[in-house]
Every structure is written in C-alpha cells, then in structure tokens.
Amino acid sequence: MTHFLKKALIDFRANGFLNLITIITISLSILIVSVFMLFFENTGRIIESWNQGGRAMIYLKKDFSMEMLPQLKAKINALGDIDEMIYVSKAQALDTLKKDMAFQTTFLKTLRENPLPDALEIKLRSYNSIQKVQTLAERIKKIDMVDDIEYGQGWLGKFLKIFKLFKITGYAMCSLFFLIALFITANTVRLAFYSRKLEVEIMRLVGASETFIRAPFYIEGIIQGFLGGILGLGALLITFWMVSSGITQSLASYVYFDIRFLSIKMMIFILFGSTFLGWFGCYLSLKQILK
C-alpha cells in the first residue's frame, strides 16, 4: 500500500497542472452542490420548526362574549391537533399594538373605539404538510363564533412552492456539475495514463497484475476528489462567514435571522461524495483504457 501511495504522489507531482485543473473543477462542483445543500438545510430547519409548533390566530366575531369562551375552546379541541390555546381580548391586543407602535402614539390616540377583535391564539401540533394545516383552518373557520383565522397561509404557500421549484433546479444543477467534474476527472486520468503508457506496457510484460497497475491511478483519483472537496467546503465556509455576518447585521434590528453552516454529518457526506467522484472518474477512464 505504501508503494502505491508513493507512486501516486510521484505521478501527482509529475502531472501537477492537470491535477490542479481537476481539483479546481471538483472544488467548484462541490461548492455549487454545497450552496444548495446549505440552502436546503436552513430552509428545511425553518419549515420543520414551524411544523413542530406552528401558531395560528383565530379572530372572533363582534358579538363574542366571555361566556362563549368555554364552548368555543371545547369545539376547537374537538377538532384535534391543538396543543395550546390563549385568549387575547381586544383590550390586550390594543395595548400590545400601542407598545409595538410607540412611535405612532398620536395616531392611536385619535381612535374613538377599539377596532380590534377578540382573538384566540392557538399552537398547532406537528404537521407533515401545509394541506393538513389548511384543512384544520377551514374546519375552525366554520365554527359560528369564528370570524377569520390567520396562520401565514399566503406567504407560507408561496414559500413552499418557490422552495420546491428551487429544489428541482438545485438537483438539476448539482447533477450537471457532477457530470462535468466526472468528465474532467476521467480525462485527467486518461492523459496521465498515456504519459505512462510505455511504463504500463513494460509492467504488463514482466507480469504485473492489473491491481498493481491500476492502484496508483485510483489513489490519485481519490486524492483529487478529497482535495477538491476540502477546497470547495473551505470556499463555502469563507463565503458563508462574510455573507451571514452582513445579513445578521442588516436584519438584526428587524427580525431574528438564524443562519447555520452545514452540519458535520452533511460535510462528511459531501467529502465522501467528492472522494467517490475522483475514484469513479478514474474507474470509468481505466475501464475504457485497460480492456
């Protein structure tokens, strides 16, 4: 094994330019794939956190009274999948609005009466799809004491559609860059083989096994894939630090924006994939050459 590794490193240095081009190509492919994986991980985490405790606001009709509250809670609980219910009177809602809009107190002082309705904030249990949330919301809205229900259906539905479209595009782009990297890796191995063609023929004449001939090329492909993966993840990490810090500083005053880098599990998976890419490109090339 040590002999094969030394031989692979010698060949690696001898074809330095070709190997550098291959590593850069693999790293660019891994960078593109990692960007999509980073987006999918963060977006999936946001959707999962919403599904595991989504909140909805039920707005009640004007003729609602506190005496109706137990009956309303019983009807909503009968529908199932409700984790928590909090009654918010229109007076409480107005106080909260005044605190949130402290800079516009003049406008609020001109109000002659409270325009806000009584409401019931509910916490939903885990859901697998937006369709289940919509079904439950429609059933709650049919209750005679309920005027309307808001659970972010507008933005969430559009967001999920965009996410699905982006996911399909991401898979297509990842596949394209994977094929490009595979093609260049295979051609690099082919060129390296032809530069050693005479040496390979001599080894065959003296009885060298196919494993003895192929092993250095496979190790070289594995090194290319691994270094390409490291370089791609490194470029993503640097970009992530620069971009995420800028986004956090820009939006910190408005919303809580939590962006996380790829998980350890995902990084290991990407490194394994890039290493396999280098090996597989070598395998395809040698399969055609050494028939």
Side-chain angles (χ1 to χ4, degrees):
M1 185 65 186
T2 306
H3 168 76
F4 295 145
L5 182 59
K6 287 181 179 179
K7 184 61 178 173
L9 292 175
I10 291 171
D11 293 340
F12 196 86
R13 287 193 294 266
N15 299 281
F17 180 74
L18 289 174
N19 286 305
L20 180 62
I21 295 298
T22 304
I23 290 172
I24 291 174
T25 304
I26 293 175
S27 67
L28 289 175
S29 303
I30 294 302
L31 178 60
I32 298 297
V33 172
S34 300
V35 166
F36 283 104
M37 292 298 133
L38 183 64
F39 174 80
F40 294 155
E41 271 203 358
N42 281 280
T43 307
R45 183 169 49 81
I46 293 170
I47 295 174
E48 183 181 357
S49 64
W50 193 92
N51 283 337
Q52 290 179 350
R55 292 184 178 274
M57 188 66 74
I58 301 172
Y59 299 107
L60 309 177
K61 291 184 177 179
K62 291 183 178 180
D63 58 353
F64 180 82
S65 62
M66 285 298 295
E67 290 77 16
M68 301 177 184
L69 186 59
Q71 181 184 1
L72 175 62
K73 285 186 174 181
K75 287 185 177 182
I76 294 175
N77 276 320
L79 298 176
D81 295 321
I82 305 299
D83 191 36
E84 182 183 10
M85 279 189 283
I86 301 173
Y87 174 71
V88 181
S89 67
K90 57 184 179 181
Q92 289 176 311
L94 185 60
D95 289 339
T96 303
L97 183 63
K98 287 179 178 179
K99 290 178 182 178
D100 294 340
M101 300 180 64
F103 57 92
Q104 292 185 355
T105 52
T106 305
F107 166 73
L108 294 174
K109 286 179 180 178
T110 60
L111 294 175
R112 295 184 179 180
E113 60 180 24
N114 190 345
L116 302 177
D118 294 313
L120 198 63
E121 183 181 359
I122 63 172
K123 184 177 180 182
L124 311 175
R125 293 199 184 102
S126 178
Y127 289 93
N128 296 323
S129 65
I130 187 64
Q131 285 75 21
K132 291 186 178 181
V133 180
Q134 290 174 337
T135 301
L136 178 63
E138 289 171 0
R139 293 170 67 186
I140 292 175
K141 196 173 181 179
K142 290 179 181 178
I143 299 175
D144 50 6
M145 290 170 276
V146 174
D147 184 41
D148 199 5
I149 180 169
E150 173 64 41
Y151 55 93
Q153 59 269 41
W155 70 265
L156 186 61
K158 292 178 181 178
F159 178 78
L160 289 176
K161 288 179 181 178
I162 294 172
F163 177 67
K164 288 179 180 177
L165 179 62
F166 193 80
K167 203 169 185 178
I168 294 170
T169 305
Y171 286 144
M173 291 289 291
C174 291
S175 301
L176 176 62
F177 277 90
F178 178 84
L179 291 174
I180 292 172
L182 188 64
F183 175 78
I184 292 178
T185 304
N187 278 279
T188 302
V189 173
R190 188 189 301 272
L191 291 172
F193 176 85
Y194 284 128
S195 68
R196 295 176 50 204
K197 188 174 182 181
L198 181 60
E199 180 185 347
V200 171
E201 289 178 354
I202 292 171
M203 284 192 291
R204 278 182 164 175
L205 288 173
V206 297
S209 64
E210 289 295 312
T211 302
F212 187 86
I213 296 172
R214 293 170 184 258
F217 291 103
Y218 284 138
I219 294 174
E220 191 174 341
I222 289 171
I223 293 173
Q224 289 172 349
F226 182 76
L227 292 179
I230 292 290
L231 188 61
L233 286 175
L236 179 67
L237 182 59
I238 293 170
T239 307
F240 172 79
W241 277 340
M242 293 189 296
V243 174
S244 63
S245 60
I247 291 175
T248 303
Q249 290 175 3
S250 301
L251 300 179
S253 304
Y254 305 99
V255 293
Y256 174 68
F257 207 81
D258 180 28
I259 303 177
R260 298 179 190 173
F261 193 65
L262 292 170
S263 62
I264 299 295
K265 183 179 179 180
M266 183 57 67
M267 286 191 288
I268 292 173
F269 175 77
I270 290 173
L271 279 177
F272 176 81
S274 66
T275 305
F276 174 77
L277 176 63
W279 175 87
F280 191 57
C282 180
Y283 170 79
L284 291 177
S285 185
L286 293 180
K287 188 177 181 182
Q288 293 178 344
I289 297 170
L290 297 175
K291 294 181 179 179

